[in-house]
Amino acid sequence: MLISSFSHPNHTTAPSSSWYLGPAAAARMSGKFKAFVTRLHGAVRAERPNEERIHDVYQESEEVAKEFNSDPWPKAEAVASLVQGDRVFLLLYTEMAFQAFFKNKNVKATMGDRVGSWENYSALFTALIQDEDGQAMTEAAKAHGAEVMITGKWAFDIIYEFVYQFQEACQYRASALQSATNEAELQTVLEHKDVWTVDKVFNFLHQLVKVSKVREVLESAALSKGGLDGETVNSGGAPVPLVTYPSKLHYLLGYFALVGLNRLECLLGDFQDALAVAEPVMEESRSGNAGAGLLLSSSIIAQVSLHYHIGLSYLMIRKYQEAIKTFVSVLDVYFKHMESIKQQQRALQQQQQQQQQQGQPVQPPAKNADDLAAGKLVDKVAAMLLIVHHLCPGQHIPENIRGHLMGEKMKDKLRQVQSGDVDAIVTLFVLSAPKFISPATDYEAAVSAMGTAGPGGAGGRGGGGGAGRSGTYGGLQRIVFAEEVRQMLELRKLRDYLRLYSTIGLGKLSAFTGQDPEDIRRELVQYKHKLLQLEASTGSSVQPSLDFHYYLDGDMVHVDAGERENRQEVSKHFQYQIRKLENLARTLRR
């Protein structure tokens, strides 16, 4: 067993899998790999840990993964002698090893691999939450965290991978229960119904948040302002009690557990809770305070992922204005980040040219995995922004982001949205949305279907038994969104006519649309109602998302486009284009 000496006592032995039955990687551990493990252990256990050094060594894990190609990393027992049997470090090492294994496109993970990874996560989180006797947050659990130092990016990777593997396990389980092609694998799934369950996943994340006291720390930071000699007082002058967390490791994992819970709630379709659980992090980010703002920015994929799921949640609960603001803000952050990366690359190229002229060897710059992953997610963010802006037009989008949305890369998606075809917009939504999951699994139907029919048989698991309901949950979200799109596109037609007039009668609108005047009256009221929303900043102030104002007086509709219209939009557009041409001319003169 991979982590037999470190797993939680309540967990069963993992079944055989490609991980356990793979080649003996320990027999061919290179000196480079041994040096990596030793350096990483020394960095996280240093008396005076240096976060920059830990980050640099941790980043080497991407190159280490390439060394083993399609083989798993050595077992924890094989490297234990290199780290003096350090239990917590070996759990962190095994988590890294499983991450590399699940990211490897050359291997196909089995249920046994998922059980092994679950046991390691359980052992790691349990060690930080409670002691061996089950007592919550004892001194021993605090010591486990206090003695180990990791970076914010590392902590985010652990939580992000934890939620991803739960998502993938739900999909795998549903597929196995609906398929009759692998009886042995199905039996393994049925024997391990207690792993990767939604209640246990939620429990671990909430426990990490609780023991880390991250909510209390962020709340204290939001309420307080710095006083003299470290005194902390709120805006009214009353003292705010200082909150301390058990260890930096606890705080980092608890902080990103909030981000992980946001993603998990979104995947399960509870969009209100997805917003609520991430509010402490978003509030800290908006306030500009150093602590958590810098922590969130420690990983570009963390920022993009959080804002992507928050923007999606706003979209699904019909807060279109907030969704646009969220998507715009994260696109702006990403573009600035990539501009900084390009500047670094240009400086590196100049340095390499000098080295080549001097006859020195030059190493090609390595591609950053986080930047690549963030880039793929940004494409989905941009597609979502196209959709929501089409449903709720008239909202301000900065020129640089507008230029990206209208660029060559987005032209096909832009054409899909502007077509006004419900199916085309919903198809783009499905491609850009996460893979929604449901934890509900019908094991009884799978058991009763075992052996009753082969592949394609009417009575088999691929028939009408509904063995894995999680496979249809994304379809449910699609149906709900499609109905919303259909309604909003109908209402948008009215908007387009209203924008052309200052006053227009219901009879004239009826002639344009072919609808009954009373139906139009109801739709006008419905349009206003659907686009009223609570502002996220206040939570109580109701604001319309329409970019103009109208009201009904009998059978006459009065339109006041000037009340909400931003009259500076045209001048801003020309100013932006002038600056753009000036920069281009300056570049050509060089």
Side-chain angles (χ1 to χ4, degrees):
M1 181 177 173
L2 179 63
I3 54 167
S4 57
S5 56
F6 312 108
S7 59
H8 193 276
N10 293 334
H11 295 139
T12 57
T13 302
S16 60
S17 66
S18 55
W19 177 275
Y20 301 102
L21 301 181
R28 56 181 187 83
M29 281 194 296
S30 66
K32 180 181 177 181
F33 176 79
K34 293 179 180 178
F36 161 74
V37 174
T38 304
R39 283 200 312 277
L40 186 62
H41 179 252
V44 301
R45 285 291 194 182
E47 290 185 9
R48 295 182 178 179
N50 184 307
E51 289 195 36
E52 186 174 344
R53 179 168 180 261
I54 296 172
H55 174 79
D56 291 341
V57 180
Y58 175 71
Q59 288 293 92
E60 295 177 20
S61 62
E62 294 179 12
E63 292 299 317
V64 170
K66 297 177 183 177
E67 181 178 330
F68 294 99
N69 194 13
S70 60
D71 293 330
W73 288 20
K75 297 179 181 180
E77 286 89 339
V79 300
S81 60
L82 300 175
V83 297
Q84 296 80 50
D86 187 332
R87 177 174 181 264
V88 176
F89 176 82
L90 287 172
L91 292 171
L92 290 170
Y93 162 83
T94 306
E95 194 278 333
M96 290 174 58
F98 270 117
Q99 268 199 52
F101 181 78
F102 279 94
K103 290 178 181 177
N104 195 328
K105 297 180 180 179
N106 297 323
V107 297
K108 185 177 181 181
T110 65
M111 190 62 196
D113 302 316
R114 292 170 175 82
V115 173
S117 182
W118 169 256
E119 289 191 342
N120 188 74
Y121 276 119
S122 299
L124 174 61
F125 294 154
T126 300
L128 298 173
I129 294 170
Q130 63 187 43
D131 63 10
E132 288 74 8
D133 297 327
Q135 298 298 316
M137 211 53 216
T138 60
E139 291 303 318
K142 293 180 183 178
H144 286 154
E147 295 166 1
V148 177
M149 179 69 176
I150 65 175
T151 62
K153 181 190 180 307
W154 191 347
F156 171 76
D157 287 348
I158 291 173
I159 300 298
Y160 191 82
E161 183 70 14
F162 180 62
V163 177
Y164 165 76
Q165 288 191 28
F166 168 69
Q167 177 188 15
E168 202 271 343
C170 287
Q171 295 165 348
Y172 178 87
R173 189 157 43 211
S175 176
L177 293 176
Q178 292 171 346
S179 172
T181 58
N182 192 333
E183 201 78 22
E185 189 68 4
L186 173 59
Q187 187 64 42
T188 304
V189 170
L190 295 173
E191 289 174 357
H192 293 85
K193 295 185 289 186
D194 59 335
V195 303
W196 291 115
T197 59
V198 67
D199 57 329
K200 291 181 179 179
V201 171
F202 266 117
N203 181 61
F204 275 132
L205 292 175
H206 280 292
Q207 285 295 320
L208 286 172
V209 171
K210 181 179 178 180
V211 301
S212 67
K213 298 184 178 179
V214 63
R215 279 201 180 97
E216 292 86 341
V217 172
L218 293 178
E219 182 181 356
S220 175
L223 292 174
S224 66
K225 61 181 180 179
L228 296 175
D229 302 324
E231 180 187 4
T232 305
V233 295
N234 63 21
S235 56
V240 176
L242 294 174
V243 180
T244 58
Y245 42 80
S247 73
K248 186 66 177 291
L249 176 60
H250 282 95
Y251 182 78
L252 290 174
L253 290 175
Y255 180 89
F256 286 112
L258 289 173
V259 179
L261 282 167
N262 163 260
R263 182 183 175 202
L264 182 57
E265 296 280 14
C266 192
L267 292 174
L268 295 170
D270 194 341
F271 303 110
Q272 292 284 5
D273 272 1
L275 295 170
V277 76
E279 183 55 29
V281 177
M282 292 301 292
E283 180 62 30
E284 180 72 8
S285 180
R286 286 191 293 263
S287 69
N289 290 341
L294 291 177
L295 185 55
L296 183 63
S297 64
S298 62
S299 170
I300 184 62
I301 186 64
Q303 296 180 79
V304 175
S305 176
L306 177 63
H307 286 80
Y308 165 74
H309 289 96
I310 286 178
L312 175 65
S313 298
Y314 279 133
L315 170 60
M316 297 302 285
I317 63 173
R318 247 183 18 243
K319 287 191 175 183
Y320 298 129
Q321 199 170 12
E322 296 298 339
I324 290 173
K325 289 179 183 177
T326 304
F327 290 142
V328 165
S329 67
V330 75
L331 286 174
D332 187 55
V333 168
Y334 176 76
F335 292 151
K336 289 178 179 177
H337 170 78
M338 293 311 297
E339 183 59 35
S340 174
I341 295 296
K342 289 177 181 178
Q343 291 178 0
Q344 295 176 12
Q345 290 175 344
R346 285 194 289 268
L348 181 61
Q349 287 175 355
Q350 293 177 357
Q351 182 181 356
Q352 289 179 340
Q353 289 175 357
Q354 295 176 357
Q355 291 176 343
Q356 285 179 336
Q357 292 173 357
Q358 298 172 1
Q360 299 178 6
V362 175
Q363 291 288 340
K367 295 182 178 180
N368 189 291
D370 275 7
D371 290 341
L372 294 175
K376 294 178 180 179
L377 200 50
V378 159
D379 290 342
K380 295 184 177 182
V381 170
M384 286 291 184
L385 181 55
L386 282 175
I387 292 172
V388 68
H389 192 259
H390 188 72
L391 298 180
C392 185
Q395 305 302 317
H396 173 67
I397 295 180
E399 283 294 332
N400 63 326
I401 295 175
R402 188 184 295 274
H404 174 76
L405 297 178
M406 296 181 176
E408 185 71 20
K409 187 176 182 180
M410 299 293 296
K411 67 177 184 180
D412 291 336
K413 296 177 182 178
L414 181 62
R415 190 181 301 115
Q416 273 184 275
V417 171
Q418 291 182 337
S419 69
D421 180 66
V422 174
D423 289 338
I425 295 175
V426 172
T427 298
L428 180 59
F429 169 80
V430 172
L431 293 174
S432 305
K435 294 180 180 179
F436 296 107
I437 56 175
S438 170
T441 307
D442 195 346
Y443 288 109
E444 293 183 2
V447 171
S448 63
M450 284 183 65
T452 61
R461 288 176 295 278
R469 289 193 292 266
S470 57
T472 63
Y473 192 63
L476 177 60
Q477 296 292 340
R478 182 185 188 279
I479 292 171
V480 172
F481 182 74
E483 178 60 23
E484 179 66 17
V485 170
R486 186 192 64 76
Q487 293 179 19
M488 291 303 297
L489 291 184
E490 287 295 324
L491 295 174
R492 179 175 167 148
K493 291 178 183 177
L494 283 178
R495 173 194 179 274
D496 293 341
Y497 286 120
L498 292 176
R499 292 281 291 178
L500 298 174
Y501 295 88
S502 58
T503 57
I504 183 173
L506 292 180
K508 197 169 186 178
L509 279 174
S510 175
F512 285 149
T513 62
Q515 295 177 271
D516 184 80
E518 290 305 311
D519 290 339
I520 293 177
R521 186 191 301 274
R522 284 192 293 269
E523 287 191 359
L524 288 171
V525 175
Q526 179 189 8
Y527 197 21
K528 278 234 170 180
H529 172 71
K530 286 177 76 72
L531 291 183
L532 283 176
Q533 59 180 244
L534 292 174
E535 286 189 306
S537 57
T538 63
S540 58
S541 176
V542 178
Q543 295 291 338
S545 297
L546 276 170
D547 56 330
F548 66 99
H549 172 66
Y550 69 84
Y551 64 93
L552 276 164
D553 183 9
D555 290 340
M556 188 64 66
V557 184
H558 296 264
V559 182
D560 183 7
E563 180 176 315
R564 303 229 0 157
E565 193 170 27
N566 189 345
R567 299 185 181 278
Q568 297 182 348
E569 283 299 307
V570 175
S571 62
K572 284 183 179 180
H573 172 76
F574 281 109
Q575 289 171 11
Y576 174 79
Q577 296 299 330
I578 290 170
R579 287 195 301 271
K580 194 174 178 181
L581 289 172
E582 286 177 344
N583 291 335
L584 178 60
R586 197 177 298 115
T587 303
L588 293 175
R589 285 196 296 267
R590 289 176 182 173

